[in-house]
Amino acid sequence: MGQPRNLVCDAVTFILLVCLGFLVIGVLTPAKNRSFLQFERFRIKPSNTYNMTIYRDELDEALAKASTENKTVIVAIVNKAYVEGDKSMLDLFLDGFWLGDDTRRLLNHLLIVAADQTSFERCKFLHLHCYKLKTEGVEFAGEKIYMSDDFIKMMWRRTSFLGTVLKYGYSFVFTDTDVLWLRNPFPVLSQDETMDLQISTDSFNSNQSSESNLINTGFYMIKSNEKSIKVFDTWYARKDSSAGLKEQDVLLNMMREGLFKRLGLRVRFLDTLYFSGFCQDSRDVRNVSTVHANCCRSIGAKVTDLTSVVHDWKRFKNYGANGTAKFAWSRHTACQNSWKH
């Protein structure tokens, strides 16, 4: 009977000594070292409150994550009609970045703005920078045929959103998803810090300063400043008094009424040699940066003819410099026929 009692006493004595040891360590250890020991204990669960950037809202966070160091973002807007199908417009758009010269890295700065839940989920699935556009009371999911009422509403919603981006302090390149980026366009865009707006044209009149150029809002680069914000505010304010006009027509009218000059807005109109489209093909495949499926009425026709552009590009790349002399763009037959329906 004595041996078990001794074992119990020994165990109790050991536990008391251990507890006393921790008590002595706690008393003798300086406060700063105790803090270190406590941190070590919980190191596997670091706090997320340290070094955390505070964003004003989801849009600010999305812009910051996609932005370059100088606060410039590439912005594209999609809806359900642009992400569905055997080969969607968004898929073809991304193919351009994959196949283009020095374009893959630009995806790090592309923000896809989704006008509905389906397109937002598709964007997230592709692991892109995504933002869900709030469109209360308006359904933007389906295809909006060129110049239909819903098409015009969607273009004005786009204008409002992009004006907000400028007010958040971000410059941006806006691109429709029916624009193929075959080369990195930034070396061709002016690096002049005083240039406010560089905008594509349906047809270029050989003068990059001429307001007689027919502008196209499917591709442009704009700097965030007081002048550009004023342009967007004035532009959107004309929405309700411009029935039957798309936002591009309204901006063209504003320019020709002298708004750009009154504001001192410096504008460069982009040569279709570099920033081409179906309205006016680039004259030289060795220089083209982007190809826009403009002068086209439906998504299906755009996808068909842009797929031909991808094939043209691959053919040029396979031939190399020796094949340039005999290179020709494929005809944009599907887009030409889209106006007959």
Side-chain angles (χ1 to χ4, degrees):
M1 295 293 293
Q3 186 174 357
R5 184 178 297 129
N6 291 337
L7 290 174
V8 171
C9 290
D10 291 343
V12 172
T13 301
F14 175 76
I15 293 172
L16 289 173
L17 288 172
V18 170
C19 292
L20 181 61
F22 276 117
L23 180 61
V24 171
I25 291 173
V27 172
L28 297 181
T29 302
K32 61 180 182 180
N33 290 343
R34 289 203 300 271
S35 299
F36 174 76
L37 290 172
Q38 291 169 358
F39 173 78
E40 285 292 296
R41 180 184 174 189
F42 297 104
R43 186 170 55 176
I44 58 173
K45 295 181 180 179
S47 171
N48 291 324
T49 61
Y50 298 104
N51 300 320
M52 185 173 66
T53 302
I54 304 299
Y55 302 104
R56 68 172 84 176
D57 54 24
E58 292 180 359
L59 175 58
D60 189 32
E61 180 177 5
L63 290 167
K65 290 181 177 179
S67 173
T68 63
E69 290 183 359
N70 67 348
K71 297 191 72 174
T72 299
V73 184
I74 302 168
V75 180
I77 298 179
V78 297
N79 66 0
K80 181 179 179 180
Y82 280 75
V83 303
E84 292 190 330
D86 294 336
K87 185 69 172 181
S88 72
M89 183 68 77
L90 179 60
D91 291 335
L92 197 56
F93 176 64
L94 296 176
D95 282 350
F97 286 90
W98 174 256
L99 298 169
D101 289 346
D102 192 30
T103 49
R104 293 183 188 180
R105 62 190 177 94
L106 299 180
L107 285 176
N108 295 325
H109 305 297
L110 171 65
L111 177 63
I112 297 293
V113 178
D116 54 70
Q117 188 62 29
T118 299
S119 56
F120 180 69
E121 291 175 1
R122 178 61 177 168
C123 177
K124 299 297 287 184
F125 176 79
L126 294 170
H127 301 289
L128 301 168
H129 295 295
C130 313
Y131 174 73
K132 174 75 181 298
L133 184 65
K134 295 174 177 61
T135 56
E136 290 88 352
V138 184
E139 177 55 57
F140 285 139
E143 178 176 1
K144 309 306 176 190
I145 298 298
Y146 182 76
M147 289 308 294
S148 65
D149 288 343
D150 283 346
F151 173 86
I152 292 173
K153 288 178 182 177
M154 189 165 68
M155 293 301 100
W156 281 115
R157 181 65 185 94
R158 182 177 86 177
T159 302
S160 172
F161 170 77
L162 293 173
T164 301
V165 173
L166 292 176
K167 291 175 182 177
Y168 274 47
Y170 288 88
S171 303
F172 61 83
V173 174
F174 176 77
T175 175
D176 279 339
T177 51
D178 62 351
V179 177
L180 286 177
W181 290 44
L182 300 180
R183 288 189 176 89
N184 182 345
F186 288 98
V188 185
L189 292 167
S190 175
Q191 303 304 307
D192 185 348
E193 291 294 323
T194 66
M195 190 65 66
D196 300 303
L197 172 65
Q198 301 180 71
I199 189 166
S200 62
T201 58
D202 281 340
S203 59
F204 184 65
N205 68 6
S206 300
N207 184 347
Q208 65 179 9
S209 301
S210 171
E211 292 188 350
S212 296
N213 283 294
L214 292 176
I215 60 172
N216 189 298
T217 54
F219 182 95
Y220 61 93
M221 181 175 185
I222 189 164
K223 299 194 69 172
S224 174
N225 55 39
E226 291 183 4
K227 291 180 289 184
S228 63
I229 291 172
K230 180 64 175 177
V231 167
F232 268 76
D233 284 346
T234 305
W235 189 8
Y236 188 72
R238 292 202 180 189
K239 174 176 70 72
D240 294 333
S241 60
S242 303
L245 295 177
K246 61 183 183 295
E247 41 50 84
Q248 179 175 292
D249 298 330
V250 176
L251 183 63
L252 179 65
N253 291 340
M254 287 165 50
M255 177 183 71
R256 291 182 173 173
E257 291 166 8
L259 177 67
F260 292 179
K261 291 179 179 177
R262 288 197 300 274
L263 292 176
L265 193 79
R266 291 201 61 208
V267 182
R268 178 190 176 206
F269 302 93
L270 299 175
D271 191 340
T272 52
L273 172 68
Y274 307 101
F275 301 92
S276 70
F278 292 173
C279 297
Q280 187 175 67
D281 288 323
S282 172
R283 305 182 299 279
D284 192 341
V285 67
R286 294 171 299 182
N287 291 303
V288 67
S289 291
T290 62
V291 177
H292 185 188
N294 51 9
C295 292
C296 194
R297 192 164 184 262
S298 68
I299 293 177
K302 290 171 182 280
V303 169
T304 298
D305 284 347
L306 283 174
T307 300
S308 295
V309 172
V310 169
H311 295 159
D312 292 342
W313 177 251
K314 289 180 176 179
R315 178 164 45 89
F316 163 70
K317 298 295 285 184
N318 289 335
Y319 286 154
N322 295 331
T324 304
K326 56 184 179 181
F327 177 86
W329 297 105
S330 298
R331 293 187 61 190
H332 315 306
T333 305
C335 283
Q336 291 168 2
N337 291 337
S338 69
W339 297 100
K340 299 177 182 179
H341 304 295

